[in-house]
Amino acid sequence: MALGEEDSTITKLELACTDLKKLLLTSSKLDENLANMDKKFDSIEEILTTAARRVAPLHSLAMTTKALETRISRAVSPALELLDSFKLAESLQHKLLELSSKVSSEKNPKKRLRKLIKYVDCVDKLNTTIIKISQDGEPVIQKLQEVVEFLSRTKATDQYRTHRLRETLVTLKALYETEVDATRFDGLLDEALLNLQDEFEGMLQKLRHQSIGEAYEDKEAEMVGSDLATEMEVEVLRRISETLASNDCLDICIDIFVKVRYRRAAKALMRLNPDYLRTYTSEEIDEMEVGELGDSKKKLCIQVLGGILEGVIWPECFVKIADKIMAVFFRFGEGVARSSKEPQKLFKLLDMFDSLEKLKIQFSEIFEGEAGSGICTRFRELEKLLVHASCKVFWEFGLKIEGNADGLPPPQDGSVPKLVRYAINYLKYLATETHSVPMAKVLRTEQIWKAGILSKPETDENLLKDAILNVMEALQRNVESKRSNYKDKVLPHVFAMNTYWYIYMRSRNTELGKLLGEQYMKKKYKIVAEESAYLYQRQAWGPLVRLLDEEELKMQSNEITANVGVLIRGKMEAFLKSFDEISQRHIESYNIPDFDLREQIRAATLKFVVPAYTEFWNSYSSVLQTKSYITPESVKRRLGQIFNGGDRVDAGRSKRRDSRDRTADRASASVEGDIKDFRRTRSSTSDK
């Protein structure tokens, strides 16, 4: 057992020894192989080193080539883009010619506006392309020139290619220097800008102010853009203005806008006759509609020019237009205010002042800001000028009346003087609502200026009433002054009766009468007219009636009857003679033009004279039968003829004739005809 185990162990050891020998042998061979491999690696390393030394120049050349390619690409790519821009510019120019032809031939306003917008778009694109060419041209040429110089210096390519590249550079440079400037300043773009200027001016000329009834031809378009143009028209004008501004034509654009819109507005203002001070009427200033003109111009400026330079341009442009427009308005107002101060000029001044008051708020809104400060200042100065001028005209009118400035003697027939007629109608017109309101504002404004802003002025009604009362009192003093100039004893009373009755009747039931008050009118004029009528009757007809006084006859009633008859006939003769004289003076010297007043005086005279004559006639008819004396009916008829207001020649000297005189019927018919011809209603006479 033991032996067997030992043999087995020896066997294993032998096998292990054999394996070790093999392993050592293999290791030896492996060492040999590794040595051979080292030799081979050394050989390869030597070969690689040699190859690296040989490849190094090629690598450097490749890197140089790559750098050259990058440099050339950086120069050529922009050059290709520049060439594409030239091609696009050429294409846009052809398109521009085509659109221009279509716009010119289009007759429909709406379609023409749409095509015009396309035309403006094309102009904008062409301008953008040309600007791009101008901006990119020099850098592109500079880069190409650097590449050509580099290739020439480094000889990175052959001379032929370098020469061709140099020729291309020269051609491109020449094209840029000549064509770009020509395209921008002398080519189709320049023609297109000129066309746009013409279109801009033409469209602005067609925009007319609506208040003059000159609307644009396209009636169906909705007026939403401004008061003057449709939305599409405003859009086209805005696009054109922006295009012109972006092409260095801003000054031209503004000049066109200012020139055309001023002319359009001037036509509205120049509807007034240029000879302002002689032909101006009170209604025409309202027709000028200055505020609406300014407001519409402002809206149009904002719509058309508001997008240029962030809204900086339109205020300046608007003020330029407004300054020219308002210069006409201001010159007109200043001319009226500074012209001669005739009384009738007051109503023109008040109309202008009232118009300024109505425009004040709108004016401030339209011309707000620094740009419009000059116009607002001149507006205020004109308002001050009108206030001073209005007050001066009115106060001078009162002074002229009191100073008897008409320079005329009192009417020889005792009728109403022209000055009184003029003054009453003047004050009636002033008291109407149209002129009383602005006149009160003028008076209040002047009072505040004089007394200070902290003063408490009277109410407008009291101010106007006091002012008119001053003129009425001056007028009364003028009348009294003329009244005292008569030498005839009756004429002063006829004159005062006519004049004060005229003042009362023409003022009552009018704004003037309401302003002064009925009590004042009665006290100052009606009562005075009635007193003058009483004095007239007493002075003109009193002596005539006293001739028929019977006291003297009663005293001599106990004496001889013949003497009494002589006395009675003497009284009758004296009465008839005096009656003829008084009648003749009434026909030749006394005039009562007012129908109602004349009728009242006739009635009072008949009541005063005829009963006295009738009583005398009836009392002494037996004595008076020896001669033919006119009857009481004839006296009544003659008095009627005196006061009939017509041709009173037939009422001349009274002839002693019987009531059954054959001419009585004819005289009666004449009186009736005269009364019929000269009868007037109260309403018609109240307008005198």
Side-chain angles (χ1 to χ4, degrees):
M1 290 290 292
L3 240 140
E5 290 178 359
E6 289 179 0
D7 292 336
S8 175
T9 301
I10 293 173
T11 301
K12 289 181 182 179
L13 289 173
E14 288 177 353
L15 289 173
C17 181
T18 302
D19 291 334
L20 287 173
K21 287 180 180 180
K22 289 180 180 179
L23 182 60
L24 291 172
L25 181 62
T26 302
S27 297
S28 176
K29 289 181 179 180
L30 182 60
D31 289 337
E32 185 178 353
N33 290 335
L34 288 173
N36 292 332
M37 288 180 67
D38 287 337
K39 291 179 181 179
K40 289 180 180 180
F41 277 127
D42 291 338
S43 177
I44 292 171
E45 183 179 3
E46 185 178 354
I47 293 170
L48 289 174
T49 302
T50 303
R53 286 197 297 267
R54 294 177 179 178
V55 170
L58 295 177
H59 179 68
S60 176
L61 182 61
M63 292 181 63
T64 303
T65 303
K66 184 65 177 179
L68 181 61
E69 180 183 1
T70 302
R71 194 163 191 174
I72 292 174
S73 296
R74 288 177 181 175
V76 171
S77 295
L80 293 175
E81 292 179 1
L82 183 63
L83 292 175
D84 290 338
S85 297
F86 274 111
K87 292 179 181 179
L88 179 59
E90 185 178 4
S91 174
L92 289 172
Q93 290 181 43
H94 289 299
K95 185 178 180 180
L96 201 59
L97 291 173
E98 181 181 352
L99 288 173
S100 177
S101 177
K102 290 181 179 180
V103 170
S104 300
S105 60
E106 184 59 61
K107 302 300 182 182
N108 184 281
K110 282 187 176 180
K111 293 182 179 180
R112 192 174 191 278
L113 289 174
R114 294 191 187 99
K115 292 181 179 179
L116 195 55
I117 289 179
K118 294 181 180 179
Y119 185 79
V120 175
D121 286 336
C122 188
V123 173
D124 289 339
K125 290 178 181 179
L126 179 59
N127 180 53
T128 302
T129 303
I130 293 176
I131 291 175
K132 188 175 185 303
I133 293 174
S134 301
Q135 293 175 347
D136 297 345
E138 290 187 2
V140 168
I141 293 173
Q142 181 66 29
K143 289 179 180 180
L144 285 176
Q145 188 170 358
E146 291 176 357
V147 169
V148 171
E149 291 177 354
F150 176 77
L151 293 176
S152 299
R153 184 174 63 254
T154 60
K155 297 181 180 180
T157 185
D158 57 86
Q159 294 182 354
Y160 174 73
R161 292 179 179 177
T162 303
H163 179 69
R164 285 186 59 189
L165 189 58
R166 183 178 286 109
E167 288 182 347
T168 303
L169 173 62
V170 172
T171 303
L172 184 60
K173 187 176 181 180
L175 178 65
Y176 170 77
E177 292 176 350
T178 57
E179 293 297 324
V180 172
D181 289 342
T183 303
R184 188 172 185 180
F185 301 110
D186 298 319
L188 286 176
L189 179 61
D190 185 64
E191 293 180 8
L193 293 175
L194 293 175
N195 290 337
L196 288 180
Q197 293 172 22
D198 294 338
E199 291 288 343
F200 190 67
E201 182 173 359
M203 288 186 65
L204 289 173
Q205 287 176 344
K206 291 179 181 179
L207 304 183
R208 303 182 181 184
H209 201 274
Q210 297 299 306
S211 64
I212 312 175
E214 299 176 336
Y216 187 56
E217 295 176 359
D218 189 2
K219 304 295 184 182
E220 299 177 357
E222 183 181 2
M223 303 297 288
V224 295
S226 72
D227 291 342
L228 301 176
T230 65
E231 185 177 15
M232 183 174 290
E233 288 169 340
V234 169
E235 176 64 17
V236 173
L237 288 171
R238 183 186 65 80
R239 292 290 304 279
I240 292 177
S241 67
E242 292 175 355
T243 298
L244 292 176
S246 63
N247 283 274
D248 298 328
C249 298
L250 179 59
D251 292 340
I252 298 174
C253 177
I254 293 175
D255 289 342
I256 292 174
F257 192 93
V258 172
K259 177 185 69 175
V260 175
R261 294 320 303 166
Y262 166 68
R263 288 177 179 175
R264 296 308 309 161
K267 285 187 178 181
L269 292 176
M270 292 302 290
R271 294 181 68 193
L272 295 174
N273 190 299
D275 197 0
Y276 302 115
L277 300 182
R278 287 185 293 178
T279 62
Y280 167 68
T281 61
S282 60
E283 291 80 8
E284 285 173 325
I285 193 167
D286 292 329
E287 296 179 4
M288 292 168 67
E289 298 182 357
V290 177
E292 292 185 9
L293 283 172
D295 192 35
S296 61
K297 290 293 176 291
K298 183 176 182 179
K299 289 181 180 178
L300 189 63
C301 282
I302 295 173
Q303 292 288 340
V304 176
L305 305 175
I308 301 176
L309 297 181
E310 298 181 352
V312 176
I313 294 299
W314 77 261
E316 179 183 352
C317 185
F318 168 66
V319 169
K320 285 183 178 180
I321 300 173
D323 189 56
K324 291 185 177 182
I325 296 173
M326 299 313 299
V328 178
F329 176 74
F330 288 134
R331 283 198 301 270
F332 167 62
E334 291 164 358
V336 173
R338 292 193 174 101
S339 61
S340 57
K341 302 298 186 292
E342 294 89 354
Q344 66 272 15
K345 186 65 66 63
L346 175 63
F347 303 109
K348 297 180 181 180
L349 295 171
L350 292 178
D351 288 335
M352 294 182 64
F353 176 79
D354 189 46
S355 297
L356 289 186
E357 285 292 299
K358 294 176 181 177
L359 287 171
K360 184 178 292 184
I361 297 177
Q362 190 177 10
F363 222 82
S364 300
E365 293 175 351
I366 293 173
F367 298 106
E368 61 182 352
E370 184 178 354
S373 60
I375 295 177
C376 290
T377 299
R378 196 168 179 185
F379 182 91
R380 290 190 294 270
E381 292 299 324
L382 176 58
E383 193 172 29
K384 292 180 183 178
L385 195 61
L386 290 174
V387 168
H388 288 308
S390 299
C391 291
K392 186 175 182 180
V393 169
F394 184 75
W395 298 128
E396 286 186 359
F397 176 62
L399 294 175
K400 288 179 181 179
I401 291 176
E402 188 164 9
N404 199 17
D406 56 351
L408 298 174
Q412 297 302 309
D413 58 357
S415 58
V416 182
K418 291 182 178 179
L419 178 62
V420 173
R421 295 177 183 271
Y422 179 84
I424 294 302
N425 288 324
Y426 185 91
L427 294 177
K428 282 171 62 178
Y429 193 47
L430 179 61
T432 59
E433 184 177 359
T434 303
H435 295 103
S436 62
V437 175
M439 186 67 207
K441 289 182 180 179
V442 165
L443 293 172
R444 185 179 70 248
T445 303
E446 186 190 42
Q447 188 182 58
I448 291 174
W449 287 348
K450 288 183 178 180
I453 194 171
L454 298 179
S455 62
K456 295 182 179 180
E458 299 181 25
T459 62
D460 289 358
E461 183 177 355
N462 288 338
L463 282 172
L464 183 61
K465 181 179 179 179
D466 292 343
I468 291 181
L469 281 174
N470 289 334
V471 178
M472 294 292 287
E473 291 173 359
L475 184 63
Q476 188 173 11
R477 289 190 289 270
N478 182 282
V479 171
E480 292 300 321
S481 174
K482 290 183 182 294
R483 183 179 183 179
S484 62
N485 290 334
Y486 284 107
K487 296 180 180 180
D488 187 284
K489 294 181 179 180
V490 177
L491 268 176
H493 308 308
V494 175
F495 170 74
M497 176 181 63
N498 281 329
T499 303
Y500 288 119
W501 185 257
Y502 176 90
I503 294 174
Y504 175 73
M505 293 301 295
R506 299 312 182 273
S507 301
R508 66 192 296 263
N509 298 327
T510 66
E511 288 86 349
L512 177 61
K514 294 176 183 177
L515 180 65
L516 299 179
E518 182 65 20
Q519 293 299 322
Y520 174 86
M521 297 300 299
K522 286 183 177 180
K523 179 181 178 181
K524 286 288 187 179
Y525 305 110
K526 184 181 180 183
I527 293 176
V528 177
E530 291 172 348
E531 291 175 351
S532 300
Y534 171 76
L535 293 173
Y536 153 77
Q537 187 181 73
R538 182 179 175 182
Q539 191 70 41
W541 302 104
L544 181 65
V545 173
R546 285 194 296 272
L547 290 174
L548 300 178
D549 187 14
E550 298 183 24
E551 291 296 327
E552 185 179 358
L553 296 176
K554 291 179 180 179
M555 292 174 60
Q556 299 183 10
S557 60
N558 296 326
E559 298 181 7
I560 303 174
T561 305
N563 291 336
V564 174
V566 171
L567 185 59
I568 291 171
R569 285 191 293 272
K571 282 182 172 291
M572 180 61 76
E573 292 287 344
F575 176 86
L576 293 175
K577 181 180 179 182
S578 180
F579 184 73
D580 282 342
E581 292 175 355
I582 294 173
S583 299
Q584 193 65 27
R585 283 200 300 272
H586 274 78
I587 294 170
E588 295 177 353
S589 303
Y590 306 154
N591 182 21
I592 305 176
D594 186 86
F595 176 78
D596 293 332
L597 178 61
R598 191 168 62 248
E599 287 297 305
Q600 294 181 48
I601 295 300
R602 174 165 60 180
T605 303
L606 288 173
K607 186 177 180 180
F608 183 59
V609 176
V610 174
Y613 185 79
T614 301
E615 182 181 358
F616 189 86
W617 173 272
N618 291 333
S619 298
Y620 304 104
S621 59
S622 58
V623 179
L624 297 174
Q625 287 179 354
T626 58
K627 287 188 178 182
S628 295
Y629 295 103
I630 61 174
T631 63
E633 290 77 10
S634 297
V635 172
K636 184 177 181 179
R637 185 172 62 251
R638 302 295 173 81
L639 287 173
Q641 289 177 323
I642 291 174
F643 293 104
N644 67 2
D647 186 2
R648 296 169 294 180
V649 175
D650 291 340
R653 296 186 177 276
S654 301
K655 296 182 179 179
R656 300 187 184 97
R657 55 193 179 191
D658 191 77
S659 62
R660 290 182 291 273
D661 192 291
R662 62 178 178 272
T663 63
D665 294 337
R666 184 179 61 189
S668 177
S670 175
V671 172
E672 292 175 0
D674 290 340
I675 292 175
K676 182 179 180 181
D677 290 341
F678 290 91
R679 190 179 302 276
R680 295 189 298 272
T681 63
R682 183 184 300 269
S683 61
S684 64
T685 58
S686 65
D687 293 332
K688 291 184 179 181

